[in-house]
Amino acid sequence: MSTASPLIIALDYPSMDAALCMADRLDPSRCRVKVGKELFARGGPEIVEALHGRGFEVFLDLKFHDIPNTVAGAVQAAAEQGVWMVNVHASGGRRMMEAARERLDSQRLETRLIAVTVLTSMSDADLAEVGVSSSAADHVERLARLAQASGMHGVVCSAQESARLRDICGDDFLKVTPGIRPSFASTDDQQRILTPAEAMQAGSTHLVIGRPVTQADEPMAALSAIENELGL
Ligand code: C5P
């Protein structure tokens, strides 16, 4: 099932059963779902298949980073499972990203391919320690430009970065944004949060939302409240 919703619900669960339990409480016509490393390490392709079977489009958030040929193969394998979106690390470089995009194109696979620029867990001091002397903000811009020039459909970015990246990369370049907290939700462990409406106004094209929906007593009621905040 294809949806026009910008909402991607993060299924951050340690077991396939728990993830599918939550998926069964969500409506695939009103959101997509994200499968990350922990769930995939446990559930493998079977979890993706089970979510597809329930009608969900899946963002496979495995952040591939390796030599070009290996990443191209991994992206192809993900795309052949029919996932809607997959991602790589932009710091893997131009040749790695181009190889991944070329592989999708040569196989006529339409999976969206996006890049992580700088992990939001990295401070300027962390970057300096791995040899990056520019600020995190400058490095994000550099990697976003490189991702676009290397054929990526977009980037994962914080809502704080969306406006600047919209100026640099345009409206059509996807900006997939976690760290979102609706006005009704608690902040959990997220630091620099924006509401869904603020993030969309800043230029984010898709919002990754986990606990405000998955920990709610009524996940679809929480989703409806977010849709209302967005005027959907
Ligand atoms: O529960 P919550 O809404 O905080 O979940 C956000 C999701 O987005 C999680 O899957 C988390 O790993 C992911 N994420 C994030 N911050 C980033 C990148 C990814 O919260 N910078």
Side-chain angles (χ1 to χ4, degrees), residues 14-195:
S15 79
M16 191 158 142
D17 281 354
L20 292 179
C21 232
M22 176 48 56
D24 285 336
R25 300 180 69 188
L26 298 172
D27 178 349
S29 72
R30 287 165 60 191
C31 62
R32 297 183 174 90
V33 289
K34 178 171 90 70
V35 172
K37 285 190 171 84
E38 183 183 10
L39 181 57
F40 192 78
R42 293 189 188 277
E46 219 183 303
I47 180 70
V48 174
E49 209 176 303
L51 291 165
H52 284 159
R54 286 161 167 77
F56 287 97
E57 290 187 319
V58 175
F59 169 19
L60 191 58
D61 179 19
L62 297 183
K63 301 185 181 71
F64 295 130
H65 187 175
D66 211 311
I67 60 171
N69 188 54
T70 300
V71 168
V75 164
Q76 179 180 355
E80 284 175 349
Q81 282 176 56
V83 301
W84 164 73
M85 176 177 275
V86 66
N87 57 1
V88 300
H89 269 285
S91 51
R94 180 189 295 272
R95 284 190 299 113
M96 187 202 80
M97 289 189 277
E98 284 180 348
R101 176 62 196 267
E102 281 162 15
R103 185 68 69 87
L104 288 180
D105 290 349
S106 70
Q107 301 299 312
R108 294 190 163 68
L109 292 162
E110 299 206 333
T111 297
R112 308 281 87 189
L113 179 60
I114 64 169
V116 176
T117 55
V118 178
L119 292 170
T120 48
S121 53
M122 296 287 279
S123 66
D124 288 358
D126 292 326
L127 285 174
E129 207 169 26
V130 295
V132 176
S133 51
S134 46
S135 68
D138 287 348
H139 201 46
V140 165
E141 278 188 35
R142 178 185 303 121
L143 289 174
R145 286 181 204 275
L146 180 64
Q148 188 170 40
S150 307
M152 299 298 97
H153 296 115
V155 287
V156 181
C157 66
S158 79
Q160 277 86 357
E161 294 155 1
S162 290
R164 180 76 185 121
L165 295 185
R166 180 174 51 188
D167 290 345
I168 296 173
C169 301
D171 289 333
D172 293 341
F173 194 61
L174 303 178
K175 293 156 215 83
V176 178
T177 299
I180 299 295
R181 284 297 175 268
S183 46
F184 64 81
S186 83
T187 56
D188 301 307
D189 53 359
Q190 295 283 9
Q191 301 285 341
R192 290 170 295 142
I193 49 165
L194 261 74
T195 68

